[in-house]
Amino acid sequence: MSARHARGFTLIEVLLATILLAAGLALAFATLRAATATAQRGEAIAQRNEHMRAVELFLRRRIGNARPIAFGMNTDTGMPRRFEGDRDHMRFVADLPDYLGRGGPYLHELTIVDGPDGPRLEVAFTMVLGATTVADNPPRKPEVLADHLHDATFRYRAMTEDNRLSDWVETWNNGDNLPVQVEITLRDADGRTWPPMIVALPLAGGYQGAAL
C-alpha cells in the first residue's frame, strides 16, 4: 500500500466534516423547534377556540332562558325588578340546571371586573324565592368565564311602537321588562375580538319602547 493511501484524514478534512455535521444537527434541531412551536401554537389556538365556544354556548343558553321573574323591588318606582343591565353589569333570573345548583329560578349576575391580568367576565348565582334573593350559606363565590381580556361590553335592544328593533343602548332603564336582544362583545388582551354574540330573549314579550 502506498503512503498516499495510508496517511488517513488530514486535520482540515476532520474539521470540515465536523462543521458539516454540526450544521446538519443545527438545521435538524431548528426544524424540530419550529415544528414544536407550530404544534404548540396550534394547540393553544384550538384550546382558545374551544374555550370561546364553551363560554358562548353558556351565555347564549343562560341569557336566552331569562324569565320575567322579579328578584326584588325598585324602591324609587315601586315596580318589580326583572332585568338590570349596563355596559359592564347584567342581572336577570333564569332556571339553573341541576349540575350548576339546586335547580329552579336563580338570579344570574354577569359582571366585568378588573383582574390582575386585565378585565375578566364573572358570573354569580343566587336563589330567588318569592321575588327576593336567598343567599347560600356559605356564600357562593363568582365563577370566572373569561379572563385576560382587553375590554368587554354589554348592550341591549327593545322593540319600538311600530314593531321594529330599536338602536342598541348600553343601559337598560326599564327593569320591569326584559330586553328583546342582548349583545356581548369581548376582546382579548392581544386585541383579537371574539365572534359577535347577539342573544334573543324569547320571553321578552311585546312592545317595550318605554325601556329606551
Side-chain angles (χ1 to χ4, degrees):
M1 181 181 295
S2 66
R4 176 183 176 83
H5 292 150
R7 66 181 177 83
F9 296 104
T10 65
L11 179 59
I12 293 178
E13 291 172 334
V14 172
L15 290 174
L16 180 59
T18 302
I19 292 172
L20 291 175
L21 178 60
L25 290 174
L27 179 61
F29 281 125
T31 303
L32 180 60
R33 283 197 300 268
T36 302
T38 300
Q40 290 175 342
R41 284 196 299 271
E43 183 177 353
I45 292 173
Q47 290 178 348
R48 173 181 176 271
N49 290 340
E50 185 63 27
H51 176 68
M52 290 169 59
R53 284 193 292 269
V55 172
E56 179 182 3
L57 180 61
F58 175 85
L59 292 173
R60 288 187 180 279
R61 286 182 174 177
R62 306 302 347 120
I63 298 173
N65 287 329
R67 300 172 59 188
I69 295 177
F71 54 85
M73 298 295 293
N74 187 320
T75 57
D76 294 332
T77 64
M79 300 295 292
R81 293 187 295 165
R82 294 187 171 91
F83 192 100
E84 292 180 346
D86 54 36
R87 70 186 314 274
D88 55 14
H89 187 216
M90 189 189 317
R91 303 175 79 197
F92 59 90
V93 177
D95 287 338
L96 197 66
D98 291 338
Y99 71 88
L100 290 176
R102 302 174 185 175
Y106 270 72
L107 176 65
H108 292 51
E109 188 166 4
L110 294 167
T111 311
I112 307 298
V113 300
D114 291 329
D117 300 310
R120 67 188 182 197
L121 173 60
E122 295 183 347
V123 60
F125 305 104
T126 308
M127 183 181 294
V128 176
L129 289 175
T132 60
T133 56
V134 181
D136 291 339
N137 189 14
R140 186 170 180 171
K141 294 182 178 179
E143 301 178 23
V144 178
L145 294 178
D147 54 8
H148 297 86
L149 298 175
H150 181 276
D151 56 62
T153 55
F154 303 144
R155 296 199 303 173
Y156 315 93
R157 241 179 180 177
M159 296 296 294
T160 62
E161 288 183 292
D162 56 355
N163 205 31
R164 296 176 181 270
L165 285 172
S166 70
D167 294 332
W168 290 104
V169 295
E170 292 187 345
T171 301
W172 184 255
N173 291 320
N174 187 2
D176 188 33
N177 289 318
L178 306 182
V180 173
Q181 290 181 336
V182 171
E183 180 190 61
I184 302 174
T185 302
L186 303 176
R187 189 153 59 105
D188 286 341
D190 57 8
R192 290 179 295 182
T193 302
W194 288 40
M197 282 182 274
I198 298 178
V199 185
L201 284 69
L203 298 180
Y207 165 62
Q208 300 180 24
L212 300 179

